[in-house]
Amino acid sequence: MKVLGNSKKGLLFVVSAPAGTGKTTLVQMLKSEFSCVVESVSYTTRRPRGKEVNGEHYNFVTEEEFQEKVKTGDFLEYVQLYTSKYGTSRSLVEQHLNSGNHVILVIDTQGAIKLKGSIDHVSIFISPPSFEELKSRLVERKTDSEVEIERRLKWAKHELEQHVHYDYNIINDDLQTAYDVLRSICIAEEHKITKLNSGE
């Protein structure tokens, strides 16, 4: 038996966190250690930023293409964040789960709350040590303008209040410790008796 990756059907993990909390790094660490862990690539109507690659970071689509997916019911959830829309493809997620892969879905709190009751999943919130530390991280990474940082911080205050709706809350004050906790959650969830007995 492997530490992770024994299920015939994979589990869906939803990860949310304010920008600058380290969620991307933590998920990347998990994917690097376990080949059975994949990240669902969301669809978005916004334009690529920096070195973002279509199909790897996001599936970049037009407003018309996005609306067509809404009409056909392909999105597990979709939201509007600022001036852009984001959605999770039901067919892509189910394809990965049926292949035995555990799927990590990195989405904002709006989308995570919409998923409650619609599909079985484990929800994990990543919190910064403090709001001031979050602000420092956003400033130090130098990827956003002052206006963008203020907008992200305003939204972050709202997101931080939503952590009570999640199954787990990990405070990322030390990256390795936060990763150890995330890793442990995924391993424990796969080995739960209820999931083993259901044939997963």
Side-chain angles (χ1 to χ4, degrees), residues 40-112:
S40 175
V41 181
S42 297
Y43 282 82
T44 183
T45 57
R46 77 161 171 78
R47 297 175 66 84
R49 296 175 188 150
K51 297 179 180 179
E52 288 180 334
V53 178
N54 186 37
E56 182 180 332
H57 298 94
Y58 286 97
N59 290 307
F60 296 99
V61 294
T62 63
E63 182 74 32
E64 291 73 24
E65 289 171 323
F66 193 94
Q67 289 303 325
E68 184 59 31
K69 286 191 168 292
V70 172
K71 286 180 184 176
T72 58
D74 184 43
F75 287 137
L76 274 174
E77 57 78 34
Y78 63 94
V79 299
Q80 177 150 344
L81 187 60
Y82 308 131
T83 57
S84 303
K85 294 184 176 72
Y86 297 82
T88 301
S89 170
R90 184 188 307 273
S91 55
L92 290 178
V93 168
E94 289 180 348
Q95 182 181 334
H96 282 305
L97 294 176
N98 290 330
S99 298
N101 290 319
H102 296 317
V103 179
I104 305 289
L105 186 54
V106 181
I107 56 176
D108 84 318
T109 52
Q110 290 182 85

Coordinates of all heavy atoms in Angstrom, one line a residue, residues 40-112:
S40 N -7.0 20.8 -10.9 CA -8.0 21.2 -11.9 C -7.7 22.6 -12.5 O -7.4 23.5 -11.7 CB -9.4 21.1 -11.4 OG -10.3 21.6 -12.3
V41 N -7.7 22.7 -13.8 CA -7.4 24.0 -14.5 C -8.7 24.7 -14.8 O -9.5 24.2 -15.5 CB -6.6 23.7 -15.7 CG1 -6.2 25.1 -16.4 CG2 -5.3 23.0 -15.4
S42 N -8.9 25.8 -14.1 CA -10.2 26.5 -14.3 C -10.2 27.2 -15.6 O -9.2 27.5 -16.3 CB -10.3 27.6 -13.2 OG -10.4 27.0 -11.9
Y43 N -11.5 27.5 -16.0 CA -11.7 28.4 -17.2 C -11.9 29.8 -16.7 O -12.4 30.0 -15.7 CB -13.0 27.9 -17.9 CG -12.8 26.7 -18.8 CD1 -12.8 25.4 -18.2 CD2 -12.5 26.7 -20.1 CE1 -12.6 24.2 -18.9 CE2 -12.3 25.6 -20.9 CZ -12.4 24.4 -20.3 OH -12.1 23.2 -21.1
T44 N -11.4 30.7 -17.5 CA -11.5 32.1 -17.2 C -11.6 33.0 -18.4 O -11.1 32.7 -19.5 CB -10.4 32.7 -16.3 OG1 -10.6 34.0 -15.9 CG2 -9.0 32.6 -17.0
T45 N -12.3 34.1 -18.2 CA -12.5 35.1 -19.3 C -11.4 36.2 -19.3 O -11.4 37.0 -20.2 CB -13.9 35.7 -19.3 OG1 -14.0 36.4 -18.0 CG2 -15.0 34.7 -19.5
R46 N -10.6 36.2 -18.2 CA -9.6 37.2 -18.1 C -8.4 36.9 -19.1 O -8.2 35.8 -19.5 CB -9.1 37.4 -16.7 CG -8.2 36.4 -16.1 CD -7.5 37.0 -14.9 NE -6.7 36.0 -14.2 CZ -5.5 35.6 -14.5 NH1 -5.0 36.0 -15.7 NH2 -4.8 34.8 -13.8
R47 N -7.6 37.9 -19.3 CA -6.4 37.7 -20.2 C -5.3 37.1 -19.4 O -5.2 37.3 -18.2 CB -6.0 39.1 -20.8 CG -7.1 39.7 -21.7 CD -6.7 41.1 -22.2 NE -5.5 41.0 -23.0 CZ -5.5 40.8 -24.3 NH1 -6.7 40.5 -24.9 NH2 -4.4 40.8 -25.1
P48 N -4.4 36.4 -20.1 CA -3.2 35.8 -19.4 C -2.3 36.9 -18.8 O -2.2 38.0 -19.4 CB -2.5 35.1 -20.5 CG -3.5 34.8 -21.6 CD -4.4 36.0 -21.5
R49 N -1.7 36.6 -17.6 CA -0.8 37.6 -17.0 C 0.6 37.0 -17.0 O 0.8 35.8 -16.8 CB -1.2 37.8 -15.5 CG -2.5 38.5 -15.3 CD -2.8 38.6 -13.8 NE -4.2 39.0 -13.6 CZ -4.9 38.7 -12.5 NH1 -4.4 37.8 -11.6 NH2 -6.1 39.1 -12.3
G50 N 1.6 37.9 -17.3 CA 3.0 37.5 -17.3 C 3.3 36.2 -18.1 O 3.0 36.2 -19.3
K51 N 3.8 35.2 -17.4 CA 4.2 34.0 -18.1 C 3.1 32.8 -18.1 O 3.4 31.7 -18.3 CB 5.5 33.4 -17.5 CG 6.7 34.4 -17.7 CD 7.9 33.8 -17.1 CE 9.1 34.8 -17.3 NZ 10.4 34.3 -16.7
E52 N 1.9 33.2 -17.8 CA 0.8 32.2 -17.7 C 0.6 31.5 -19.0 O 0.6 32.2 -20.1 CB -0.5 32.9 -17.3 CG -0.5 33.3 -15.8 CD -1.8 33.9 -15.4 OE1 -2.5 34.5 -16.2 OE2 -2.1 33.8 -14.2
V53 N 0.4 30.2 -19.0 CA 0.3 29.4 -20.2 C -1.1 28.8 -20.3 O -1.7 28.3 -19.3 CB 1.3 28.2 -20.2 CG1 1.1 27.3 -21.4 CG2 2.7 28.7 -20.1
N54 N -1.7 29.0 -21.5 CA -3.1 28.5 -21.7 C -3.1 27.0 -21.5 O -2.3 26.3 -22.1 CB -3.6 28.9 -23.1 CG -5.0 28.5 -23.3 OD1 -5.9 28.6 -22.4 ND2 -5.4 28.1 -24.5
G55 N -4.1 26.5 -20.7 CA -4.2 25.0 -20.5 C -3.3 24.5 -19.3 O -3.5 23.4 -18.9
E56 N -2.4 25.4 -18.9 CA -1.6 25.0 -17.7 C -2.0 25.7 -16.5 O -2.2 25.2 -15.4 CB -0.1 25.2 -18.0 CG 0.8 24.8 -16.9 CD 2.3 25.1 -17.3 OE1 2.6 25.1 -18.5 OE2 3.1 25.3 -16.4
H57 N -2.0 27.1 -16.6 CA -2.4 27.9 -15.4 C -4.0 28.1 -15.4 O -4.6 28.0 -14.4 CB -1.7 29.2 -15.5 CG -0.2 29.1 -15.4 ND1 0.6 29.1 -16.5 CD2 0.6 29.0 -14.3 CE1 1.8 28.9 -16.1 NE2 1.9 28.9 -14.8
Y58 N -4.5 28.4 -16.6 CA -5.9 28.5 -16.8 C -6.3 28.1 -18.2 O -5.4 28.1 -19.1 CB -6.4 30.0 -16.6 CG -6.4 30.5 -15.2 CD1 -5.4 31.2 -14.6 CD2 -7.5 30.2 -14.4 CE1 -5.4 31.7 -13.3 CE2 -7.6 30.7 -13.1 CZ -6.5 31.4 -12.5 OH -6.5 31.9 -11.2
N59 N -7.5 27.8 -18.5 CA -8.0 27.7 -19.8 C -8.7 29.1 -20.2 O -9.7 29.4 -19.6 CB -9.1 26.6 -19.9 CG -8.5 25.2 -19.7 OD1 -7.5 24.9 -20.4 ND2 -9.0 24.4 -18.8
F60 N -8.0 29.8 -21.0 CA -8.4 31.2 -21.3 C -9.4 31.1 -22.4 O -9.1 30.6 -23.5 CB -7.2 32.1 -21.7 CG -6.3 32.3 -20.5 CD1 -5.1 31.5 -20.5 CD2 -6.5 33.2 -19.5 CE1 -4.2 31.7 -19.4 CE2 -5.7 33.4 -18.5 CZ -4.5 32.7 -18.4
V61 N -10.6 31.6 -22.2 CA -11.7 31.6 -23.2 C -12.4 32.9 -23.3 O -12.2 33.8 -22.5 CB -12.8 30.5 -22.8 CG1 -12.2 29.1 -22.9 CG2 -13.4 30.8 -21.4
T62 N -13.1 33.1 -24.4 CA -13.9 34.3 -24.6 C -15.2 34.3 -23.8 O -15.5 33.2 -23.2 CB -14.3 34.4 -26.1 OG1 -15.2 33.4 -26.4 CG2 -13.1 34.4 -27.0
E63 N -15.8 35.4 -23.7 CA -17.1 35.5 -22.9 C -18.1 34.6 -23.5 O -18.9 33.9 -22.8 CB -17.6 37.0 -23.0 CG -18.8 37.2 -22.2 CD -18.6 37.2 -20.7 OE1 -17.6 37.6 -20.2 OE2 -19.6 36.9 -20.0
E64 N -18.1 34.5 -24.9 CA -19.1 33.7 -25.6 C -18.8 32.2 -25.3 O -19.8 31.4 -25.0 CB -19.0 33.9 -27.1 CG -19.5 35.3 -27.5 CD -18.5 36.4 -27.2 OE1 -17.3 36.1 -27.0 OE2 -19.0 37.6 -27.1
E65 N -17.6 31.8 -25.3 CA -17.2 30.4 -25.0 C -17.6 30.0 -23.6 O -18.1 28.9 -23.3 CB -15.7 30.1 -25.2 CG -15.3 30.2 -26.7 CD -13.8 30.2 -26.9 OE1 -13.1 30.8 -26.1 OE2 -13.4 29.5 -27.9
F66 N -17.4 31.0 -22.7 CA -17.7 30.7 -21.2 C -19.2 30.5 -21.1 O -19.6 29.6 -20.4 CB -17.2 31.9 -20.4 CG -17.2 31.7 -18.9 CD1 -16.0 31.2 -18.3 CD2 -18.3 31.9 -18.2 CE1 -16.0 31.0 -16.9 CE2 -18.3 31.6 -16.8 CZ -17.2 31.2 -16.2
Q67 N -20.0 31.4 -21.7 CA -21.4 31.3 -21.6 C -22.0 30.1 -22.2 O -23.0 29.5 -21.7 CB -22.1 32.6 -22.2 CG -21.9 33.9 -21.5 CD -22.4 33.8 -20.1 OE1 -23.4 33.1 -19.7 NE2 -21.7 34.5 -19.1
E68 N -21.3 29.6 -23.2 CA -21.8 28.3 -23.8 C -21.6 27.1 -22.8 O -22.5 26.2 -22.7 CB -21.0 28.0 -25.1 CG -21.4 26.8 -25.9 CD -22.8 26.8 -26.3 OE1 -23.4 27.9 -26.6 OE2 -23.5 25.8 -26.4
K69 N -20.5 27.2 -22.1 CA -20.3 26.1 -21.1 C -21.3 26.2 -19.9 O -21.7 25.2 -19.3 CB -18.9 26.2 -20.5 CG -17.8 25.7 -21.5 CD -16.5 25.5 -20.8 CE -15.5 24.7 -21.7 NZ -15.9 23.3 -21.9
V70 N -21.7 27.5 -19.6 CA -22.7 27.7 -18.6 C -24.0 27.0 -19.1 O -24.7 26.3 -18.3 CB -22.9 29.2 -18.3 CG1 -24.2 29.4 -17.4 CG2 -21.7 29.8 -17.6
K71 N -24.4 27.3 -20.3 CA -25.6 26.8 -20.9 C -25.7 25.3 -21.0 O -26.7 24.7 -20.7 CB -25.8 27.3 -22.3 CG -26.2 28.8 -22.4 CD -26.4 29.2 -23.9 CE -26.6 30.7 -24.0 NZ -26.7 31.2 -25.4
T72 N -24.5 24.6 -21.3 CA -24.5 23.2 -21.4 C -24.3 22.5 -20.0 O -24.4 21.3 -19.9 CB -23.4 22.7 -22.3 OG1 -22.1 23.2 -21.8 CG2 -23.6 23.2 -23.7
G73 N -24.2 23.3 -19.0 CA -24.1 22.7 -17.6 C -22.7 22.1 -17.3 O -22.7 21.2 -16.4
D74 N -21.7 22.5 -18.0 CA -20.4 21.8 -17.8 C -19.7 22.3 -16.5 O -18.8 21.6 -16.0 CB -19.5 22.1 -19.0 CG -18.2 21.3 -18.8 OD1 -18.2 20.1 -18.4 OD2 -17.1 21.9 -19.1
F75 N -20.1 23.5 -16.0 CA -19.4 24.0 -14.8 C -20.0 23.4 -13.5 O -21.2 23.5 -13.3 CB -19.5 25.5 -14.8 CG -18.6 26.2 -15.8 CD1 -19.1 27.3 -16.5 CD2 -17.3 25.8 -16.0 CE1 -18.3 27.9 -17.4 CE2 -16.5 26.4 -17.0 CZ -17.0 27.5 -17.7
L76 N -19.1 22.9 -12.7 CA -19.4 22.5 -11.3 C -19.8 23.7 -10.5 O -20.7 23.7 -9.7 CB -18.3 21.8 -10.6 CG -18.1 20.3 -10.9 CD1 -16.8 19.8 -10.2 CD2 -19.3 19.5 -10.3
E77 N -19.0 24.8 -10.8 CA -19.3 26.1 -10.2 C -18.7 27.2 -11.0 O -17.7 26.9 -11.8 CB -18.7 26.2 -8.7 CG -17.2 25.9 -8.6 CD -16.4 27.1 -9.0 OE1 -16.8 28.2 -8.8 OE2 -15.3 26.9 -9.5
Y78 N -19.2 28.3 -11.0 CA -18.6 29.5 -11.7 C -19.0 30.8 -11.0 O -20.1 30.9 -10.3 CB -19.0 29.5 -13.2 CG -20.5 29.7 -13.4 CD1 -21.0 31.0 -13.6 CD2 -21.4 28.7 -13.5 CE1 -22.4 31.2 -13.8 CE2 -22.8 28.9 -13.7 CZ -23.2 30.1 -13.9 OH -24.6 30.4 -14.1
V79 N -18.1 31.7 -11.0 CA -18.3 33.0 -10.3 C -17.7 34.1 -11.1 O -16.9 33.9 -12.1 CB -17.5 33.0 -8.9 CG1 -18.1 31.9 -8.0 CG2 -16.0 32.8 -9.1
Q80 N -18.1 35.3 -10.7 CA -17.5 36.5 -11.3 C -16.7 37.1 -10.2 O -17.1 37.4 -9.1 CB -18.5 37.5 -11.8 CG -17.9 38.8 -12.3 CD -18.7 39.5 -13.4 OE1 -19.6 38.9 -14.0 NE2 -18.4 40.7 -13.7
L81 N -15.4 37.4 -10.5 CA -14.5 38.0 -9.5 C -13.9 39.2 -10.2 O -13.2 39.1 -11.2 CB -13.4 37.0 -9.1 CG -12.4 37.4 -8.0 CD1 -13.2 37.7 -6.7 CD2 -11.4 36.3 -7.8
Y82 N -14.2 40.4 -9.6 CA -13.8 41.6 -10.2 C -14.5 41.7 -11.6 O -15.7 41.6 -11.6 CB -12.3 41.8 -10.3 CG -11.6 41.5 -9.0 CD1 -10.5 40.7 -9.0 CD2 -12.0 42.1 -7.8 CE1 -9.8 40.4 -7.8 CE2 -11.3 41.9 -6.6 CZ -10.2 41.0 -6.6 OH -9.6 40.8 -5.4
T83 N -13.8 41.8 -12.7 CA -14.4 42.0 -14.0 C -14.4 40.7 -14.8 O -14.8 40.7 -16.0 CB -13.7 43.1 -14.8 OG1 -12.3 42.8 -14.9 CG2 -13.9 44.5 -14.1
S84 N -13.8 39.6 -14.2 CA -13.7 38.4 -15.0 C -14.5 37.2 -14.4 O -14.8 37.3 -13.2 CB -12.2 38.0 -15.0 OG -11.4 39.0 -15.6
K85 N -14.7 36.2 -15.2 CA -15.5 35.0 -14.8 C -14.5 33.9 -14.7 O -13.6 33.7 -15.5 CB -16.6 34.7 -15.7 CG -17.7 35.8 -15.8 CD -18.8 35.4 -16.7 CE -20.0 36.3 -16.7 NZ -19.7 37.6 -17.4
Y86 N -14.8 33.0 -13.7 CA -14.0 31.8 -13.5 C -14.9 30.6 -13.3 O -16.0 30.7 -12.7 CB -13.1 31.9 -12.3 CG -12.1 33.0 -12.3 CD1 -12.5 34.3 -12.0 CD2 -10.8 32.7 -12.7 CE1 -11.5 35.3 -12.1 CE2 -9.8 33.8 -12.7 CZ -10.2 35.0 -12.4 OH -9.3 36.1 -12.5
G87 N -14.6 29.4 -13.9 CA -15.4 28.3 -13.8 C -14.6 27.0 -13.7 O -13.5 26.9 -14.3
T88 N -15.2 25.9 -13.1 CA -14.6 24.6 -13.0 C -15.3 23.6 -13.8 O -16.6 23.4 -13.7 CB -14.7 24.1 -11.5 OG1 -14.0 25.1 -10.7 CG2 -14.0 22.8 -11.4
S89 N -14.6 23.0 -14.7 CA -15.2 22.0 -15.7 C -15.6 20.7 -15.0 O -14.7 20.0 -14.4 CB -14.3 21.7 -16.8 OG -14.8 20.6 -17.6
R90 N -16.9 20.4 -15.0 CA -17.4 19.1 -14.4 C -16.7 17.9 -15.1 O -16.3 17.0 -14.4 CB -18.9 19.1 -14.5 CG -19.5 17.9 -13.9 CD -21.0 17.8 -14.2 NE -21.7 19.0 -13.9 CZ -22.2 19.4 -12.8 NH1 -22.1 18.5 -11.8 NH2 -22.8 20.5 -12.6
S91 N -16.7 17.9 -16.4 CA -16.2 16.8 -17.2 C -14.7 16.5 -16.9 O -14.3 15.4 -16.8 CB -16.4 17.0 -18.7 OG -15.9 18.2 -19.1
L92 N -13.9 17.6 -16.8 CA -12.5 17.4 -16.5 C -12.2 16.8 -15.2 O -11.4 16.0 -15.0 CB -11.7 18.7 -16.7 CG -11.6 19.3 -18.1 CD1 -10.9 20.6 -18.2 CD2 -10.9 18.3 -19.0
V93 N -13.0 17.4 -14.2 CA -12.8 16.9 -12.8 C -13.2 15.4 -12.7 O -12.5 14.6 -12.1 CB -13.7 17.7 -11.8 CG1 -13.7 17.1 -10.4 CG2 -13.1 19.1 -11.7
E94 N -14.4 15.1 -13.3 CA -14.9 13.7 -13.2 C -13.9 12.7 -13.9 O -13.7 11.6 -13.5 CB -16.3 13.6 -13.8 CG -17.3 14.3 -12.9 CD -18.7 14.2 -13.4 OE1 -18.9 13.9 -14.6 OE2 -19.7 14.5 -12.7
Q95 N -13.3 13.2 -15.0 CA -12.4 12.4 -15.7 C -11.2 12.0 -14.9 O -10.8 10.8 -14.8 CB -11.9 13.1 -17.0 CG -11.0 12.3 -17.9 CD -10.5 13.2 -19.1 OE1 -11.2 14.1 -19.5 NE2 -9.3 12.8 -19.6
H96 N -10.6 13.0 -14.2 CA -9.5 12.7 -13.3 C -9.9 11.8 -12.1 O -9.2 10.9 -11.8 CB -9.0 14.1 -12.7 CG -8.1 14.8 -13.7 ND1 -7.0 14.3 -14.3 CD2 -8.2 16.1 -14.1 CE1 -6.4 15.2 -15.1 NE2 -7.2 16.3 -15.0
L97 N -11.0 12.1 -11.5 CA -11.5 11.3 -10.3 C -11.7 9.9 -10.7 O -11.3 9.0 -10.0 CB -12.8 11.9 -9.7 CG -12.7 13.3 -9.1 CD1 -14.1 13.8 -8.7 CD2 -11.8 13.3 -7.9
N98 N -12.3 9.6 -11.9 CA -12.6 8.3 -12.3 C -11.3 7.5 -12.7 O -11.3 6.3 -12.8 CB -13.5 8.3 -13.5 CG -14.9 8.7 -13.1 OD1 -15.4 8.4 -12.0 ND2 -15.7 9.3 -14.0
S99 N -10.2 8.3 -12.9 CA -8.9 7.7 -13.2 C -8.1 7.3 -11.9 O -7.0 6.8 -12.0 CB -8.1 8.6 -14.1 OG -8.7 8.9 -15.3
G100 N -8.7 7.6 -10.8 CA -8.1 7.4 -9.5 C -7.2 8.5 -9.0 O -6.5 8.3 -8.0
N101 N -7.2 9.6 -9.7 CA -6.4 10.7 -9.2 C -7.2 11.6 -8.2 O -8.4 11.7 -8.3 CB -6.1 11.6 -10.4 CG -5.1 11.0 -11.4 OD1 -4.1 10.3 -10.9 ND2 -5.3 11.2 -12.7
H102 N -6.5 12.1 -7.3 CA -7.0 13.1 -6.3 C -6.9 14.5 -7.0 O -5.9 14.8 -7.5 CB -6.3 13.1 -5.0 CG -6.4 11.8 -4.3 ND1 -7.6 11.1 -4.2 CD2 -5.5 11.1 -3.6 CE1 -7.4 10.0 -3.4 NE2 -6.1 10.0 -3.1
V103 N -8.0 15.2 -7.0 CA -8.1 16.5 -7.7 C -8.1 17.6 -6.7 O -8.9 17.6 -5.8 CB -9.3 16.6 -8.6 CG1 -9.4 17.9 -9.3 CG2 -9.4 15.5 -9.6
I104 N -7.1 18.5 -6.9 CA -7.1 19.8 -6.1 C -7.7 20.9 -6.9 O -7.3 21.2 -8.0 CB -5.6 20.2 -5.7 CG1 -4.9 19.0 -5.1 CG2 -5.6 21.4 -4.9 CD1 -5.3 18.7 -3.7
L105 N -8.7 21.5 -6.3 CA -9.5 22.6 -7.0 C -9.2 23.8 -6.2 O -9.6 24.0 -5.0 CB -10.9 22.2 -6.9 CG -11.9 23.2 -7.7 CD1 -11.5 23.3 -9.1 CD2 -13.3 22.6 -7.6
V106 N -8.4 24.7 -6.8 CA -8.0 26.0 -6.1 C -9.0 27.1 -6.6 O -8.8 27.5 -7.7 CB -6.5 26.4 -6.4 CG1 -6.2 27.7 -5.7 CG2 -5.6 25.3 -6.0
I107 N -9.9 27.4 -5.7 CA -10.9 28.4 -6.1 C -11.2 29.3 -5.0 O -10.8 29.1 -3.8 CB -12.3 27.7 -6.5 CG1 -12.8 26.8 -5.4 CG2 -12.1 26.9 -7.8 CD1 -14.2 26.1 -5.7
D108 N -11.9 30.4 -5.3 CA -12.1 31.4 -4.2 C -13.3 31.0 -3.4 O -14.0 30.0 -3.7 CB -12.4 32.8 -4.8 CG -13.8 33.0 -5.3 OD1 -14.4 32.1 -5.9 OD2 -14.3 34.1 -5.0
T109 N -13.6 31.7 -2.3 CA -14.6 31.3 -1.3 C -16.0 31.3 -1.9 O -16.8 30.5 -1.5 CB -14.6 32.2 -0.1 OG1 -14.6 33.6 -0.5 CG2 -13.3 32.0 0.7
Q110 N -16.3 32.1 -2.9 CA -17.6 32.1 -3.5 C -17.9 30.8 -4.2 O -18.9 30.2 -4.0 CB -17.6 33.2 -4.7 CG -17.7 34.6 -4.2 CD -17.8 35.5 -5.5 OE1 -18.9 35.8 -6.0 NE2 -16.7 36.0 -6.0
G111 N -16.9 30.3 -5.0 CA -17.1 29.1 -5.7 C -17.1 27.9 -4.7 O -17.9 26.9 -4.9
A112 N -16.3 27.9 -3.7 CA -16.2 26.8 -2.7 C -17.6 26.7 -2.0 O -18.1 25.5 -1.8 CB -15.1 27.1 -1.7

